[in-house]
Amino acid sequence: MSASESSGLTYMVAVDASASSRNAVRAAVRMCQPSDQLVLFHVKQIQQPSLLDPFHDRIDRLLNQEAAEAAIRTQEECSLLMDRLNEARKASGQEQLGYRFVQCEGDARDSLLSACESEHVDVLLMGSRGLGTVASALMGSVSKYCVHNAPCAVLIVKNMEAHPEDAAAAQAVAAKRDAETKSEEQKRPRTE
């Protein structure tokens, strides 16, 4: 269903594996009505291989592998978090929310702004990293860039408190990975 077919608003949450991202998802779920669309958007940042230096090329490949693994973890954690939030909505008599997980590769700033346009987003929610003035000036702030350039309203959600389900979700994802790793190890032929 496109935004034009929906009678509600389209909320998009920039997600990664951080606590601030999970807080932004929680805020979106509190704001959303059943007629609204919820898009969880993750940007996988890919390092371009270095043609001049083979050492840096190996580092870039490792960083890309790490980014791919982080993207899978992020999607799994988002799914677990949405399951828990929907259970809480159901327990309180509210309708459960549907959502879509969308992922792309590239620069976070450009990708977020492009997605806001293509998804016809009404409100972009982002977690606050809590970077200080100096760190933000040196590294740049994706949220600050989006506040100034996004074609929609932008809500920055502060990381106010830790939530127990964050630890539970991370443990569930880690347990699943451990089980998959053990299964793969058992399938491999042993060489002695």
Side-chain angles (χ1 to χ4, degrees):
M1 176 186 320
S2 73
S4 59
E5 295 170 356
S6 171
S7 60
L9 298 173
T10 299
Y11 292 89
M12 186 169 82
V13 183
V15 295
D16 56 21
S18 69
S20 59
S21 167
R22 290 185 293 271
N23 281 336
V25 172
R26 284 186 194 88
V29 168
R30 284 193 300 271
M31 296 169 62
C32 279
Q33 300 298 313
S35 61
D36 295 335
Q37 292 186 58
L38 178 58
V39 178
L40 305 181
F41 187 79
H42 180 259
V43 180
K44 184 167 67 170
Q45 295 185 350
I46 300 297
Q47 301 293 321
Q48 296 302 319
S50 173
L51 299 175
L52 302 176
D53 186 351
F55 174 73
H56 284 101
D57 185 46
R58 282 188 299 222
I59 291 174
D60 291 343
R61 278 185 276 155
L62 287 173
L63 290 173
N64 289 338
Q65 180 180 354
E66 187 177 299
E69 290 169 0
I72 292 168
R73 260 192 327 271
T74 298
Q75 185 170 5
E76 291 172 345
E77 288 179 11
C78 283
S79 177
L80 288 169
L81 178 60
M82 284 301 298
D83 288 347
R84 287 190 172 94
L85 293 173
N86 268 326
E87 287 172 14
R89 284 179 68 91
K90 186 177 179 182
S92 66
Q94 296 176 304
E95 286 187 48
Q96 293 186 356
L97 296 174
Y99 70 96
R100 289 184 299 120
F101 186 86
V102 177
Q103 182 172 285
C104 75
E105 294 179 0
D107 176 71
R109 297 164 196 211
D110 296 334
S111 298
L112 282 165
L113 295 188
S114 294
C116 284
E117 290 177 6
S118 65
E119 297 285 340
H120 306 286
V121 172
D122 296 296
V123 181
L124 170 63
L125 289 91
M126 305 178 76
S128 170
R129 292 281 191 195
L131 294 178
T133 307
V134 175
S136 182
L138 290 174
M139 295 176 12
S141 167
V142 173
S143 57
K144 187 175 186 178
Y145 182 82
C146 289
V147 164
H148 292 288
N149 296 292
C152 60
V154 179
L155 176 63
I156 307 300
V157 179
K158 286 191 157 209
N159 194 10
M160 302 303 274
E161 59 185 68
H163 292 271
E165 68 263 16
D166 290 348
Q171 287 175 346
V173 170
K176 181 180 176 186
R177 292 225 179 274
D178 288 345
E180 289 171 355
T181 302
K182 287 179 184 175
S183 174
E184 288 177 23
E185 288 174 356
Q186 290 173 349
K187 291 178 185 176
R188 279 191 227 142
R190 293 183 185 210
T191 56
E192 294 181 36

